[in-house]
Amino acid sequence: MSHDPHAQSDQTVLDMIERSPVGAVPHTPTYQDALKRLIASHQVYVSADHKGGHVTVRSLATQPAFYANNFEAVQAGTVEVGQLEPDASIFSRYVQSLPEALRAKAEERRTLVVGRTLHHRVKHGGEVTRDPVHSLFLVPGCGPHTGLPGNYLYGSVLEASAETGAGSWSLSIHDGEDGAAMCDVPSQADALSKLEEVIASAPFQLSELDALGFRSN
């Protein structure tokens, strides 16, 4: 039976990161070599919250994802997609989930992350139309750069046009800087299904989304 000679030292470093308040690892060769292996195998990410610190994927796997609280109802067809929970509300739930010390820093990113409010408009002749859908989601993970406070990536489900007959949708996911991954899908149903797949796959590195049909920038 094969045995990984590094398994014990790697496990020690994983435990060490999770016990440390800042995800610190000693700067000795043995520990640093283990850290490099764990980063390369996507078991550890650089921390968004503590300079020089790290966070384990298994700890991020216990964190919730944030998306429209009526997503399942929209997916089931009992609620119109235009009635999805507003982005501002989703972002507020994310902020409130964070330790108090991180909330102010997260709020600084609100303008960047939260999309425009969805509006319904009355056209000439009385026809009611709405803006294209932009629905925010946040999932634990990392990109080429660290994510938002709490080690979150943020993204959106975006409708190209709200006009009847238009069928172009996309999903985009971003880290805290300029790392991003995008995916185009032909319909609302495909967009909602893809979002469900993304949420189920978290936490992840943006580069891992290639397997789900995303392209990185």
Side-chain angles (χ1 to χ4, degrees):
M1 183 173 67
S2 63
H3 174 69
D4 181 358
H6 302 302
Q8 185 172 352
S9 58
D10 290 358
Q11 182 62 50
T12 297
V13 170
L14 286 171
D15 294 341
M16 189 177 294
I17 290 170
E18 291 176 352
R19 287 196 301 266
S20 169
V22 296
V25 176
H27 291 281
T28 55
T30 298
Y31 289 129
Q32 289 298 309
D33 287 347
L35 179 61
K36 290 175 183 177
R37 288 192 297 271
L38 292 168
I39 291 173
S41 62
H42 296 178
Q43 296 183 66
V44 166
Y45 301 153
V46 175
S47 174
D49 303 326
H50 304 289
K51 186 175 181 179
H54 295 81
V55 61
T56 67
V57 169
R58 67 188 187 188
S59 66
L60 291 182
T62 67
Q63 296 184 184
F66 296 91
Y67 52 94
N69 57 17
N70 54 353
F71 167 74
E72 286 80 6
V74 171
Q75 197 173 36
T78 58
V79 172
E80 291 292 327
V81 69
Q83 300 302 315
L84 281 164
E85 179 187 9
D87 289 357
S89 174
I90 298 168
F91 191 81
S92 292
R93 289 195 286 112
Y94 149 70
V95 171
Q96 289 304 307
S97 77
L98 298 172
E100 189 169 355
L102 298 178
R103 292 176 187 173
K105 186 176 180 182
E107 280 291 354
E108 292 174 1
R109 310 304 294 272
R110 180 181 286 271
T111 301
L112 170 69
V113 173
V114 175
R116 295 180 305 153
T117 302
L118 188 67
H119 293 288
H120 289 74
R121 310 177 190 279
V122 179
K123 282 187 171 182
H124 181 69
E127 179 187 359
V128 178
T129 63
R130 59 170 174 78
D131 290 340
V133 171
H134 179 289
S135 188
L136 175 69
F137 62 91
L138 301 104
V139 293
C142 188
H145 313 284
T146 57
L148 301 180
N151 299 286
Y152 275 86
L153 301 170
Y154 71 94
S156 61
V157 177
L158 181 64
E159 183 182 20
S161 172
E163 296 295 328
T164 302
S168 180
W169 291 69
S170 64
L171 285 82
S172 64
I173 309 178
H174 308 264
D175 63 21
E177 296 185 35
D178 58 0
M182 292 141 284
C183 179
D184 299 320
V185 292
S187 69
Q188 172 188 313
D190 289 324
L192 297 179
S193 178
K194 184 64 69 174
L195 174 58
E196 188 173 44
E197 194 174 10
V198 166
I199 292 168
S201 300
F204 47 72
Q205 283 266 10
L206 283 179
S207 60
E208 295 179 279
L209 290 178
D210 291 352
L212 300 185
F214 283 77
R215 62 188 186 279
S216 299
N217 65 348

